[in-house]
Amino acid sequence: MTDAYVALEGGRVVEARARSPGTTRGELVFTTAYTGYEESLTDPSYEEQILTFSYPLIGNYGVREERFESDRVHPRGVVARDLTDDVVEWLKEEGVPAVDKLDTRDIVTEIRDSGAMKCGIAAGEDVTEQDALDELDQCKHMSDHTDIGDQVTTPETVVYNEDGDGADVALIDCGAKGSIISSLVERDATVHLMPHDTTEEEVADLDPDVLFISNGPGDPENFDQANELVDSYVGEKPIAGICLGQQVVANALGGETEKMEFGHRGVNQPVRDLRTDKVVMTTQNHGYTVADPGDNLEVTQINVNDETPEGLENDELDILTRQYHPEANPGPNDSKGFFDEVLAMADDEPAATTN
């Protein structure tokens, strides 16, 4: 029974089965992860996107809140070959439209051939193809979501592990995953989760040991204040970044970022360290990348598949970033040592920079 429609950029409409009813729109992307659907669905980096799972069965080990990366589902819609009832009930409670019983191999192939695209979904009783096309017509490109940081950031500073004996970390919340916080807390750091539009003066009042720019959704050029923070504190504080954080750091230091064709989303992205020539498997979720790191940053790691930058560093200025997710929820644990390296910078004195 067809009671859902997925309208793709260009006008093609795919029939499906409605599991969680509603109409929605967003950038259509896919992940190749075959586990970790709870973590993926609660990852703030999927804000304003429709998430397609390439693995055919989603929900086969239930839904457990302790695996969540945030307090809500972030994709605006969900597409899968088959969704279990547990996941469907969760998405209904969250008010997130979801469809299945369509050929996700075909959807993934189209995204790979044509790139991430605008999409509209209509699911439920009495919906029509036109309803999905109307949603598609209202869909914006990701770079046009200029206020996306406001949708995912903490409204006020929250402190984790206040009595920790380790470093004080100012984690600028551009859409931070919970496991980034827990990875730092496990190392006895005190984490101050701060809004994405935190001012230079507010960071100065805190006087942290490390300035850390989190992951997040959308175009890094839309995170103006985070860029300004990096520019203000380079050479004054150790600076770290993950995913969008790497892109923000690169932009702030004179580099350039760009939209990727269909991005990296999955748990098996191979990354090669240029210093050691070792390859690790990584978890990734991003649609933008560093096109040019500029003169102040060295590319130390690259993606084996397309040679995009996966790690940027400046040892003299104590800058360390990763495009992938070292916290790896879900995914392999090959690169969790990144957090040890970041906290080790807290004991260093960065050299003054010349702009």
XYZ file of all heavy atoms in Angstrom, residues 183 187 267 280-283 324-339:
179
model
N 33.846 12.059 26.530
C 35.238 11.697 26.268
C 36.196 12.610 27.013
O 37.254 12.173 27.482
C 35.529 11.763 24.761
O 34.804 10.783 24.057
N 38.454 11.929 31.016
C 39.855 12.278 31.231
C 40.003 13.352 32.299
O 41.027 14.029 32.368
C 40.472 12.700 29.894
C 40.608 11.528 28.924
C 40.748 11.967 27.479
N 41.023 10.822 26.613
C 40.099 9.977 26.158
N 38.819 10.150 26.497
N 40.440 8.964 25.383
N 30.742 4.798 9.228
C 31.650 4.412 10.311
C 32.865 3.649 9.802
O 33.572 3.017 10.588
C 30.904 3.559 11.366
C 29.777 4.369 12.013
C 30.350 2.273 10.765
N 43.780 4.459 9.886
C 42.783 4.104 10.889
C 41.398 4.240 10.260
O 41.200 4.994 9.309
C 42.875 4.994 12.144
C 44.202 4.782 12.849
C 42.675 6.462 11.796
N 40.447 3.479 10.801
C 39.063 3.595 10.360
C 38.348 4.596 11.258
O 38.551 4.610 12.476
C 38.368 2.231 10.413
C 39.048 1.173 9.564
S 39.287 1.667 7.832
C 37.582 1.733 7.264
N 37.506 5.427 10.647
C 36.903 6.528 11.387
C 35.406 6.649 11.120
O 34.890 6.185 10.106
C 37.561 7.869 11.009
O 37.240 8.186 9.647
C 39.065 7.812 11.186
N 34.737 7.322 12.077
C 33.338 7.695 11.943
C 33.261 9.132 11.429
O 33.975 10.008 11.929
C 32.634 7.616 13.310
O 32.575 6.248 13.715
C 31.225 8.177 13.249
N 37.072 13.955 11.191
C 36.258 12.808 11.600
C 35.907 12.925 13.078
O 36.264 13.894 13.761
C 36.985 11.502 11.311
C 38.385 11.421 11.862
C 38.627 10.963 13.151
C 39.484 11.780 11.081
C 39.916 10.875 13.660
C 40.776 11.709 11.577
C 40.980 11.258 12.865
O 42.262 11.180 13.366
N 35.197 11.928 13.608
C 34.741 11.941 15.003
C 35.557 10.948 15.826
O 35.257 9.752 15.834
C 33.256 11.587 15.078
C 32.371 12.708 14.670
N 31.852 13.627 15.569
C 31.921 13.090 13.448
C 31.118 14.508 14.920
N 31.144 14.213 13.634
N 36.569 11.408 16.550
C 37.378 10.490 17.359
C 36.579 9.804 18.470
O 36.952 8.714 18.909
C 38.459 11.407 17.947
C 38.493 12.600 17.056
C 37.092 12.780 16.584
N 35.497 10.445 18.938
C 34.685 9.827 19.997
C 33.934 8.601 19.494
O 33.532 7.742 20.280
C 33.716 10.846 20.583
C 32.513 11.182 19.733
C 32.816 12.143 18.597
O 33.988 12.561 18.438
O 31.891 12.490 17.851
N 33.691 8.531 18.184
C 33.247 7.308 17.504
C 32.030 6.659 18.128
O 32.033 5.483 18.444
C 34.401 6.309 17.437
N 30.953 7.421 18.294
C 29.675 6.842 18.721
C 28.639 7.089 17.640
O 28.080 8.175 17.578
C 29.208 7.478 20.044
C 29.866 6.869 21.247
O 30.841 6.143 21.131
N 29.349 7.160 22.411
N 28.339 6.100 16.808
C 28.910 4.750 16.764
C 30.213 4.728 15.966
O 30.538 5.694 15.276
C 27.833 3.976 16.000
C 27.328 4.980 15.003
C 27.322 6.302 15.744
N 30.900 3.586 16.045
C 32.060 3.415 15.195
C 33.267 2.853 15.902
O 33.219 2.497 17.087
N 34.409 2.777 15.187
C 35.635 2.190 15.729
C 36.307 3.128 16.716
O 36.116 4.341 16.689
C 36.506 2.003 14.472
C 36.013 3.050 13.523
C 34.545 3.203 13.782
N 37.125 2.553 17.596
C 37.797 3.318 18.646
C 39.250 3.634 18.315
O 40.035 3.962 19.199
C 37.736 2.536 19.967
C 36.320 2.353 20.457
O 35.475 3.213 20.256
N 36.062 1.225 21.107
N 39.596 3.589 17.037
C 40.988 3.720 16.625
C 41.615 5.062 17.005
O 42.835 5.152 17.174
C 41.110 3.559 15.102
C 40.686 2.189 14.615
O 39.930 1.523 15.328
O 41.095 1.796 13.510
N 40.825 6.126 17.105
C 41.398 7.469 17.192
C 41.027 8.225 18.459
O 41.141 9.453 18.516
C 40.961 8.289 15.970
O 39.546 8.234 15.814
N 40.617 7.528 19.519
C 40.221 8.215 20.748
C 41.386 8.908 21.437
O 41.179 9.780 22.291
C 39.543 7.240 21.714
C 38.120 6.888 21.306
C 37.375 6.158 22.401
C 35.903 5.998 22.046
N 35.132 5.344 23.125
N 42.613 8.556 21.080
C 43.773 9.223 21.651
C 43.828 10.704 21.328
O 44.595 11.454 21.956
N 43.028 11.148 20.363
C 42.947 12.564 20.034
C 42.652 13.406 21.275
O 43.236 14.481 21.463
C 41.865 12.774 18.974
C 41.475 14.213 18.754
C 42.281 15.056 18.004
C 40.294 14.713 19.283
C 41.924 16.386 17.802
C 39.926 16.031 19.080
C 40.744 16.875 18.333
N 41.765 12.932 22.130
C 41.393 13.715 23.310
C 42.560 13.838 24.287
O 42.716 14.867 24.951
C 40.163 13.093 23.979
C 38.936 13.164 23.123
C 38.522 12.058 22.381
C 38.210 14.335 23.027
C 37.401 12.122 21.577
C 37.081 14.410 22.214
C 36.679 13.304 21.493
